[in-house]
């Protein structure tokens, strides 16, 4: 997508061919900075420290991190030594964030592909090629999610019979910053906006890290999409008053039975949408499906992060976000314990439909398997 007229992806191979470049998302929207990853540890720290985040981008960073791991394994004595060390570095990467299923998917894809070929330079070449393939695939799948999600937005617009915007609520950041390009939840939004359908986006701020206020608002603004940031607790009120036509969120892991793990607070929005008859869609590439877990509420591991993300908050000291650096303040009474659950699970029965790169399906096992029969 464009940043001040320049096309960017969120991750790309460095010019030296032995490093990986990313947008440091901790700095947005105050400043747009590129960071360089040179080792698999750099990639692991970037994922754990949330320089990169979001399902698709975590997967793409893991795939690129495995390419960096392959370079580190170059000194192995033989193929067996290479594969063993490569798998060990993969396990380190996998341990960084437990909920996003794209992480293990990308690491496992790399270890399987690399183990299948002989010769150390050949293994490195395969890891390099696969890192690029995972990134390209992610971008293409997100682009198609936009194509498949567009008709639902067009239908709402046509039913309104006026040039009133279609009001779409989204939670967290499932935009292009959470993927390699286009985004999942935002891809149908960008497609509608680019097709001339008037849309207006309600952006949940998404405490504790404010990915909505900081990232979704930033990227929608850069693309010229009308939007309004709201406090996390506002959505229910808006829905009761007919001010939300549909909800589209992303997901970090969706079971093959249709349960949706996503940023904490998503479940409450789904409940409010259900109570008010507002369609609740979840957009995801197939890499985000969990083909093993049946019961998302009981069995998806929910990451708990450092309490400081709740008790402290970062921001610019002035409304213009001029030249001042970001500052951090404490927002919780001294001594009060905090808890920081990063995700929750919305049961399939609350989800209107899943928007994937192959089309839209009901959030049911049969609906999902009909789109992905090979699974
Ligand atoms: O903790 P994060 O920022 O990595 O959370 C993931 C997310 O960005 C959201 O949950 C998003 O809605 C789904 S991932 C595209």
């Amino acid at each position: 997508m464009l940043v001040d007229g320049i096309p960017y992806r969120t991750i790309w191979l460095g010019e030296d061919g032995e490093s990986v470049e990313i947008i440091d998302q901790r700095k947005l929207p105050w400043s747009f900075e590129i960071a360089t990853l040179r080792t698999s540890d750099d990639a692991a720290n970037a994922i754990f420290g949330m320089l990169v985040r979001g399902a698709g981008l975590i997967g793409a960073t893991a795939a690129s991190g495995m390419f960096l791991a392959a370079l580190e394994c170059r000194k192995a004595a033989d193929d067996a030594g290479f594969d063993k060390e490569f798998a060990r570095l993969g396990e380190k990467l996998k341990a960084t964030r437990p909920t996003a299923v794209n992480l293990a998917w990308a690491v496992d894809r790399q270890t399987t592909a690399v183990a299948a070929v002989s010769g150390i330079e050949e293994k490195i070449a395969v890891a390099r090629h696969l890192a690029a393939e995972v990134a390209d695939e992610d971008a293409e799948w997100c682009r198609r999610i936009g194509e498949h999600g567009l008709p639902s937005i067009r239908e709402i617009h046509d039913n309104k019979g006026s040039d009133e915007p279609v009001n779409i609520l989204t939670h967290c950041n499932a935009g292009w910053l959470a993927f390699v390009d286009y985004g999942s939840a935002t891809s149908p939004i960008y497609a509608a906006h680019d097709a001339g359908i008037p849309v207006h986006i309600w952006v949940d701020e998404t405490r504790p890290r404010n990915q909505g206020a900081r990232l979704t608002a930033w990227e929608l603004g850069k693309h010229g999409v009308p939007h309004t940031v709201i406090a996390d607790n506002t959505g229910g009120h808006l829905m009761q008053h007919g001010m939300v036509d549909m909800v589209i969120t992303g997901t970090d892991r969706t079971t093959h039975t249709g349960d949706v793990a996503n940023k904490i607070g998503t479940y409450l929005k789904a409940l409010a949408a259900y109570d008010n008859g507002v369609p609740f869609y979840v957009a995801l590439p197939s890499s985000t499906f969990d083909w093993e877990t049946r019961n998302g509420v009981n069995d998806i591991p929910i990451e708990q992060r450092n309490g400081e993300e709740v008790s402290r908050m970062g921001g610019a000291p002035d409304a213009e976000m001029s030249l001042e650096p970001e500052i951090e303040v404490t927002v919780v009474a001294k001594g009060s314990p905090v808890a920081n659950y990063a995700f929750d699970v919305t049961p399939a029965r609350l989800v209107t439909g899943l928007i994937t790169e192959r089309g839209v399906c009901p959030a049911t096992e049969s609906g999902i398997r009909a789109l992905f029969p090979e699974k």
Side-chain angles (χ1 to χ4, degrees), residues 288-355:
T288 304
F289 279 114
D290 176 337
W291 298 104
E292 270 144 38
T293 305
R294 289 200 71 80
N295 185 323
V297 176
N298 290 343
D299 296 335
I300 292 179
I302 299 297
E303 177 182 6
Q304 290 189 52
R305 296 183 59 86
N306 190 326
E308 285 212 343
E309 291 182 351
V310 174
S311 61
R312 312 239 327 138
M313 226 169 144
D318 63 333
E320 293 305 312
M321 295 198 295
S322 52
L323 297 174
E324 304 294 336
E326 179 180 354
I327 57 165
E328 263 200 21
V329 293
T330 298
V331 293
V332 172
K334 192 173 175 189
S336 288
V338 293
N340 187 7
Y341 294 90
F343 302 96
D344 60 26
V345 177
T346 298
R349 65 190 153 77
L350 300 178
V351 178
T352 308
L354 302 172
I355 310 170

Side-chain angles (χ1 to χ4, degrees), residues 147-170:
E147 283 180 359
H148 292 301
L150 174 60
S152 304
I153 300 177
R154 193 187 296 281
E155 190 185 331
I156 292 172
H157 178 250
D158 291 348
N159 288 343
K160 283 191 153 195
S162 72
D163 242 10
E164 288 288 298
V166 178
N167 287 298
I168 303 171
L169 184 141
T170 193

Side-chain angles (χ1 to χ4, degrees), residues 2 33 40 43 45 52 91 119 124-125 153 155 173 208 221 224 226 238 250 255 262 273 281 345 372:
L2 296 180
E33 292 179 25
S40 60
N45 291 334
V52 292
E91 289 307 314
I124 294 171
I153 300 177
E155 190 185 331
N173 174 261
L238 298 177
T255 64
N262 194 46
Y281 285 95
V345 177
F372 298 94

Side-chain angles (χ1 to χ4, degrees), residues 198-219:
V199 290
H200 166 260
I201 315 305
W202 295 111
V203 178
D204 281 352
E205 62 177 346
T206 319
R207 280 282 282 149
R209 290 186 67 103
N210 288 330
Q211 290 96 327
R214 293 178 65 146
L215 304 177
T216 306
W218 180 82
E219 60 163 273

Side-chain angles (χ1 to χ4, degrees), residues 29-97:
W30 335 117
S31 71
F32 185 80
E33 292 179 25
I34 307 300
T36 304
L37 313 178
R38 299 190 188 285
T39 64
S40 60
D41 267 354
D42 286 351
N45 291 334
I47 295 170
F48 181 72
M50 294 182 69
L51 282 73
V52 292
R53 21 75 43 210
L57 181 55
I58 289 174
T61 307
S64 290
M66 289 302 280
F67 162 55
L68 299 173
L71 294 174
E72 287 156 44
C73 294
R74 191 173 245 150
K75 51 186 181 296
D78 53 22
D79 281 4
F82 186 107
D83 291 349
K84 193 169 170 213
E85 178 63 1
F86 192 60
R88 189 186 73 79
L89 294 173
E91 289 307 314
K92 275 178 83 179
L93 269 165
K94 276 193 201 176
T96 51
R97 298 200 67 187

